[in-house]
Amino acid sequence: MLTSSPITRRQSRRIMVGNVPVGGGAPISVQSMTNTETRDVEATVAQIQRLADVGADIVRVSVPSMEAAEAFRAIRKRVSLPLVADIHFDYKIALKVAEYGVDCLRINPGNIGSEKRIRAVIDAARDKGIPLRIGVNAGSLGKVLLRKYPEPCAEAMVESALTQIDILDRLDFQDFKISLKASEIFMTLKAYRQLAGQIDQPLHLGITEAGGLRSGTVKSAVGLGALLMDGIGDTIRISLAADPVEEIRVGFDILKSLGLRSKGVNLVACPSCSRQNFDVISVVNELESRLEDVITPVDVAVIGCIVNGPGEAKVAEIGLTGASPHNLAYVHGKPHHKIDNARLVDELEAMVRARVAEKQKAEAEQAPGGIIARG
């Protein structure tokens, strides 16, 4: 399988969101946002843990009130993932979550009031080593820009971003990342491409309000894929009207398809045809369902016949080629043993989990102190 990407990434400065490096050549991080009521600490902690279980690097939490800020304090104590607090208008909330250990503040300096209030937030962030995320959204551009431009457009989004950046420049604060999100793909691409050459801060990518699971995945893959192939992007969020866990899975699938990250099972499977010697679709669906918990990178090929099967199996860690009367399993590209149709999913799952155990053991032996590093 492809182990490295030919993409040349844009050079950006590095910031730290908790223990996760963003920019400066660091792996592109994948994040999501909780959709629970933040004041419901138990529900929010449970959702963050589910996101952690599927490999999320960073999680954003909306903090719209002081009551939510107090809940954030309790949440922060119970989870280990880096947390971004999403805050608008009330600078006192930003100061409070900074005190409570937030890893990044998602604010727009222009909507939290006077320069005195902005300076208070920046001073707190600087003192505690907290980066900012400046978020520009085509659906919430300021009135001044909407008077200048007849409708939301890439130029208006870039101007909004530069206005926010000017405020941070005056306060000599450069520890931030920025996003320019629209629900329309071409507007988003144009905005990111324009800004990418004007600043050196990390860029957070997303197609905002992309849609439901299927349509939003397609739209995000097209838009983010184009930017990522340009080398643009240091962290991503897939904005779906779906379970946030799906955002993480889709994000990693996009990065895996471009050779930019490898986490979880990379499954190569044929669409099936009359040559198939087993029900490829049902086997693949069941296998994906059983292996959703795996975050260790493993290349698996499941092909229904002997036309393409041997070639794909030879470049996978675990492979399966359909044949009659028995299918042939491969390990590390070499024929291993034959499997009857009735035992396909069980044996493939066992083979993948055995390979995962091997890789985890090897990582543990190489890591300092025997601790397995997260991928």
Side-chain angles (χ1 to χ4, degrees), residues 166-205:
D166 284 344
I167 296 172
L168 299 181
D169 284 344
R170 289 201 307 271
L171 298 173
D172 192 27
F173 189 87
Q174 301 299 318
D175 202 14
F176 65 90
K177 56 181 176 175
I178 193 159
S179 64
L180 299 150
K181 295 185 179 182
S183 59
E184 203 276 323
I185 289 177
F186 293 106
M187 189 189 306
T188 304
L189 296 182
K190 188 175 181 181
Y192 275 111
R193 285 166 174 162
Q194 285 185 6
L195 188 64
Q198 299 185 55
I199 65 172
D200 68 353
Q201 275 78 17
L203 294 175
H204 169 72
L205 303 188

Side-chain angles (χ1 to χ4, degrees), residues 303-346:
I303 309 297
C305 76
I306 61 173
V307 175
N308 295 322
E312 294 289 356
K314 286 178 180 177
V315 293
E317 294 171 80
I318 303 295
L320 177 71
T321 294
S324 180
H326 301 291
N327 308 291
L328 182 58
Y330 291 71
V331 176
H332 301 303
K334 297 181 179 180
H336 192 266
H337 67 284
K338 294 180 179 181
I339 310 176
D340 292 331
N341 283 4
R343 298 182 291 117
L344 276 180
V345 177
D346 289 342

Side-chain angles (χ1 to χ4, degrees), residues 1 266-269 299-303 309 312-313 316 318-321 348:
M1 298 292 181
N266 177 37
L267 183 59
V268 174
D299 291 327
V300 179
V302 178
I303 309 297
E312 294 289 356
I318 303 295
L320 177 71
T321 294
L348 283 173

Side-chain angles (χ1 to χ4, degrees), residues 33 115 124 130 144 199 207 217 223 284 299 312 322 348:
M33 185 174 184
E115 185 152 330
I130 301 170
V144 173
I199 65 172
I207 304 295
T217 293
V284 168
D299 291 327
E312 294 289 356
L348 283 173

Side-chain angles (χ1 to χ4, degrees), residues 214-234:
R214 187 181 67 181
S215 60
T217 293
V218 172
K219 185 182 285 189
S220 297
V222 171
L224 271 61
L227 290 169
L228 291 165
M229 284 191 285
D230 284 348
I232 295 172
D234 301 285

